[in-house]
Amino acid sequence: KQWYQRRVAITAGGLFNKRSMGSITIPPQLNSAKEWVLSKRESLRPWQEFGNYNRASKPGNISVISRRVTHNVSYYYTNYAFISTLLVVYCIISSPLLLLAIVVSGTACYLLSTQKEGKTLQIGGHTFTPKDQAVVCACISLPLLFFASAGTVIFWVIGLTCSVVGVHASMMQLPNEDGTEFEMNESV
């Protein structure tokens, strides 16, 4: 076998479960993240309901806006988080320099986190402790992220998300506002 075929076989052997072909084993550290994503997925409202603009109307006054925003943000929070995530992914993909900066910074942080405790690095007669290595990683990552306009992307995503959430949440009627689901109060 060629060297790259052996490497692929070793890598694939580490990723795939031998008992069930094609299923990827998840590291134990990601189990809690997987459970969190699954719980949020269950609270995701149907997109037909989220985008039902037959329920949209101009709010009458500030108290109506307040009630609508309070209800709709708590009701559609997973949908809003999904939209925010899509905006972040769009920003990262559409900016190659930002993508490169995140990959370099993330790789450096990952390599530092996987080192053994107390492992020092010798470069040119200088000894770098793990703390020194983390400082060097930060000193390289922060300017790289600054020049890649990471701050601009963060504020753009926050601003756009707040605008989208604010407009959607204030325009969508509450269930008992549209005349279909009135609560019945009987007085005796």
Side-chain angles (χ1 to χ4, degrees):
K1 287 185 178 180
Q2 297 291 334
W3 65 271
Y4 58 85
Q5 289 174 333
R6 283 182 290 200
R7 179 155 177 104
V8 169
I10 291 169
T11 305
L15 288 177
F16 294 103
N17 190 348
K18 292 183 171 87
R19 289 183 296 206
S20 60
M21 293 300 288
S23 66
I24 297 176
T25 58
I26 297 174
Q29 299 88 352
L30 296 179
N31 281 336
S32 62
K34 179 184 174 188
E35 292 169 6
W36 182 81
V37 167
L38 290 176
S39 71
K40 295 303 174 193
R41 185 175 176 216
E42 292 171 1
S43 67
L44 185 70
R45 303 295 177 192
W47 291 105
Q48 293 84 7
E49 177 186 343
F50 181 78
N52 183 4
Y53 289 104
N54 294 329
R55 287 187 41 223
S57 70
K58 181 180 172 186
N61 56 30
I62 195 74
S63 66
V64 173
I65 293 173
S66 177
R67 280 195 316 260
R68 285 182 179 184
V69 168
T70 302
H71 174 267
N72 288 332
V73 166
S74 64
Y75 188 72
Y76 292 116
Y77 73 95
T78 306
N79 296 69
Y80 295 142
F82 185 78
I83 290 170
S84 299
T85 304
L86 286 180
L87 288 172
V88 169
V89 169
Y90 168 75
C91 288
I92 291 172
I93 290 173
S94 66
S95 174
L97 186 59
L98 181 60
L99 181 62
L100 178 68
I102 290 172
V103 167
V104 168
S105 299
T107 303
C109 291
Y110 174 76
L111 291 175
L112 286 177
S113 69
T114 58
Q115 282 186 355
K116 293 180 181 172
E117 182 86 18
K119 185 176 179 184
T120 59
L121 183 65
Q122 294 274 70
I123 298 178
H126 296 285
T127 303
F128 293 96
T129 64
K131 188 175 183 178
D132 296 334
Q133 294 171 27
V135 168
V136 168
C137 179
C139 289
I140 292 171
S141 296
L142 291 176
L144 192 61
L145 290 169
F146 175 77
F147 288 121
S149 301
T152 304
V153 168
I154 289 170
F155 286 113
W156 184 82
V157 168
I158 290 171
L160 189 58
T161 299
C162 289
S163 299
V164 168
V165 169
V167 168
H168 182 271
S170 65
M171 297 295 285
M172 295 302 284
Q173 294 177 347
L174 297 176
N176 57 3
E177 264 186 80
D178 61 2
T180 58
E181 298 179 23
F182 286 108
E183 295 178 11
M184 299 298 287
N185 292 331
E186 293 183 24
S187 52
V188 178

